[in-house]
Amino acid sequence: AKELGEYNVVIYEQKLRDEYLQEVNIENLLRRAIERGEIYLNYQPQVHLKSGKIVGAEALIRWNSKEIGMVYPNKFIPIAENTDMIIPIGKWVLEEACKNLSLWREKYNKDITIAVNISPVQFKKSDMYKTIKETLQKYALPGHCLEIEITEGVLIDNIYDIQKQLKSIRDLGVKIAMDDFGTGYSSLSYLRRFNFDKVKIDREFVQDYPEKEDGTLAEIIINLSHSLKLKVIAEGVETEEQLQFMSQNSCDEVQGYFYSPPVSKEEFEKMIEKGIFI
Ligand code: C2E
Ligand code: CA
Ligand code: CA
Ligand code: CA
């Protein structure tokens, strides 16, 4: 038994070492990813439930590394956050989203909106107000066509400073959505304290309906948001049944594989062209 224990310790140390090496490797590859053109955005349509029309999309980052292939954001965003690389990466995401948004708005003359995920680290370690303001100016975009998605992680410390930043950003007309709602700890008090425009129901509360989840929590989140005069969008809507549920409970918008997975900018542009837009 003792030998087995030591053996396990060795295995465990090896595993830690491998993970560390992998992380260091990913970190180095990620450092050059932008300049090597390995990073791009996909767009996932957001659909207005009552009209069935697309109102916009969430921009989702993708990394196709020449050395290690596709790496998904759940894997590299935490590494980017730990190394502050999220600052240049996040800037690139915002810029790329605004550049395309501006092209599409002009070309198709539609009031399209794009939602961009902003990491708490970007708020804590860079001037997001300045970055957003300058990027909107650069592409001559009205603030209201940009939405930023933040998680409650951003609200945990330095509340006063974050509150100020969010207020200035909102004064630009930019919409603010609380992402992954219901998965954290203090979402409720934050909703009251900060001025959000929209709540995003995490797909955890959506995708298991009706098999493992009866929808109670989603329903509560919708009613709560509406009573606070906030819009609600459900993510991870995959089935007709889930769509029906959201519709019956007056959810405003949905996003998920039922309508479309995240698609390339070319494919998203085709959707705009087809006129299934509001
Ligand atoms: P998120 O913000 O909660 O984004 C939703 C995730 O759910 C996306 O995963 C999307 O592809 C996936 N999804 C959408 N519809 C469905 C569905 O019907 N079923 C299922 N099973 N999944 C669905 P993705 O693209 O892998 O992104 C994962 C997370 O990475 C995002 O979660 C977000 O937290 C982060 N992320 C993505 N892009 C960025 C970015 O540009 N900046 C930052 N800071 N984080 C990002
Ligand atoms: Ca999001
Ligand atoms: Ca989520
Ligand atoms: Ca998330």
Side-chain angles (χ1 to χ4, degrees):
K2 187 164 173 275
E3 271 160 43
L4 195 69
E6 278 168 15
Y7 175 74
N8 279 334
V9 167
V10 171
I11 294 284
Y12 178 67
E13 284 175 348
Q14 219 159 46
K15 197 170 159 260
L16 280 185
R17 213 162 28 235
D18 287 350
E19 273 171 14
Y20 173 75
L21 286 175
Q22 201 194 358
E23 205 147 293
V24 170
N25 189 24
I26 290 187
E27 183 184 331
N28 286 328
L29 294 172
L30 189 55
R31 249 176 234 294
R32 280 160 300 187
I34 294 182
E35 56 195 68
R36 297 168 90 193
E38 297 174 347
I39 300 238
Y40 58 95
L41 295 182
N42 272 351
Y43 297 86
Q44 187 173 37
Q46 300 184 324
V47 178
H48 180 248
L49 256 177
K50 274 200 187 128
S51 63
K53 293 200 169 193
I54 301 177
V55 284
E58 177 179 7
L60 293 155
I61 194 168
R62 295 292 177 261
W63 175 25
N64 194 356
S65 157
K66 288 188 186 77
E67 284 87 359
I68 53 178
M70 274 304 291
V71 190
Y72 280 88
N74 284 333
K75 176 95 194 169
F76 72 84
I77 292 290
I79 298 173
E81 288 176 333
N82 288 334
T83 54
D84 293 351
M85 265 189 283
I86 193 68
I87 310 284
I89 291 174
K91 258 197 178 144
W92 183 88
V93 168
L94 184 70
E95 168 117 28
E96 171 74 8
C98 287
K99 192 176 78 191
N100 287 304
L101 179 57
S102 159
L103 284 173
W104 294 329
R105 285 175 64 92
E106 251 175 53
K107 195 163 164 192
Y108 299 101
N109 196 24
K110 295 259 154 121
D111 199 16
I112 301 159
T113 65
I114 297 287
V116 172
N117 292 284
I118 309 283
S119 154
V121 178
Q122 290 175 268
F123 272 98
K124 282 167 198 162
K125 301 199 172 162
S126 73
D127 188 345
M128 277 317 295
Y129 166 68
K130 186 162 172 269
T131 306
I132 290 174
K133 188 175 160 223
E134 288 174 358
T135 312
L136 289 172
Q137 262 164 6
K138 181 168 176 189
Y139 295 101
L141 286 168
H144 78 266
C145 63
L146 178 68
E147 186 170 290
I148 59 172
E149 297 193 0
I150 61 177
T151 56
E152 64 175 34
V154 87
L155 308 174
I156 281 171
D157 44 52
N158 221 342
I159 297 234
Y160 180 68
D161 178 59
I162 301 287
Q163 206 163 9
K164 242 174 50 188
Q165 282 195 59
L166 286 176
K167 190 186 175 301
S168 331
I169 292 170
R170 210 159 172 257
D171 287 344
L172 296 170
V174 174
K175 302 278 185 278
I176 301 179
M178 173 165 266
D179 208 355
D180 296 346
F181 188 79
T183 59
Y185 291 103
S186 350
S187 315
L188 218 54
S189 72
Y190 289 138
L191 270 193
R192 203 165 35 102
R193 188 146 24 148
F194 297 90
N195 286 315
F196 288 94
D197 299 281
K198 203 192 245 189
V199 166
K200 253 190 130 161
I201 308 177
D202 192 68
R203 68 171 200 264
E204 182 179 309
F205 305 107
V206 179
Q207 67 183 9
D208 292 335
Y209 176 84
E211 284 79 19
K212 280 182 266 164
E213 182 71 58
D214 67 2
T216 306
L217 283 169
E219 194 184 336
I220 289 173
I221 297 172
I222 295 169
N223 293 334
L224 172 81
S225 307
H226 281 163
S227 64
L228 293 170
K229 309 261 186 302
L230 304 171
K231 273 209 250 175
V232 200
I233 179 166
E235 67 176 22
V237 173
E238 296 182 355
T239 68
E240 175 96 54
E241 228 173 346
Q242 290 162 357
L243 186 76
Q244 286 302 330
F245 178 88
M246 292 306 158
S247 177
Q248 274 153 17
N249 286 283
S250 308
C251 189
D252 303 287
E253 294 168 9
V254 293
Q255 180 185 337
Y257 296 166
F258 179 79
Y259 278 110
S260 170
V263 296
S264 69
K265 67 175 175 211
E266 290 81 12
E267 274 179 79
F268 185 63
E269 184 169 342
K270 274 186 219 149
M271 294 182 186
I272 308 174
E273 221 171 357
K274 275 192 202 143
I276 41 178
F277 261 88
I278 246 174

